[in-house]
Amino acid sequence: MYERSYKLTCKDCGWYVILRRNGGMMSMFINNFNCCPKCKSTQLETSIPSLLETINPVEQFRKYFYKISGK
């Protein structure tokens, strides 16, 4: 089954973000995390988020905050 959302977690510090596969160029830019913005580790793990994490609008704001602030 195709998952529209996935959870990207840093193995070193526990930072995470919920990303959605929307398609299109803008989502490819926003969803592009090469390293952890908190500790700069490249040890990122992909998993399936829980239903609550998937529908929580705060998770989307977190993603934009980390992209805009560069943290």
Side-chain angles (χ1 to χ4, degrees), residues 8-15 36 39 41-46:
L8 197 60
T9 307
C10 177
K11 290 183 179 182
D12 294 334
C13 71
W15 171 88
C36 173
C39 70
S41 171
T42 57
Q43 299 296 319
L44 300 176
E45 179 179 63
T46 304

Side-chain angles (χ1 to χ4, degrees), residues 2-5 7 13-16 33 48 50-51 63-64 67 69-70:
Y2 177 73
E3 291 293 329
R4 290 194 53 93
S5 299
K7 183 177 184 176
C13 71
W15 171 88
Y16 74 94
F33 284 94
I48 298 172
S50 68
L51 180 61
K63 173 178 66 175
Y64 294 122
K67 276 298 179 181
S69 68

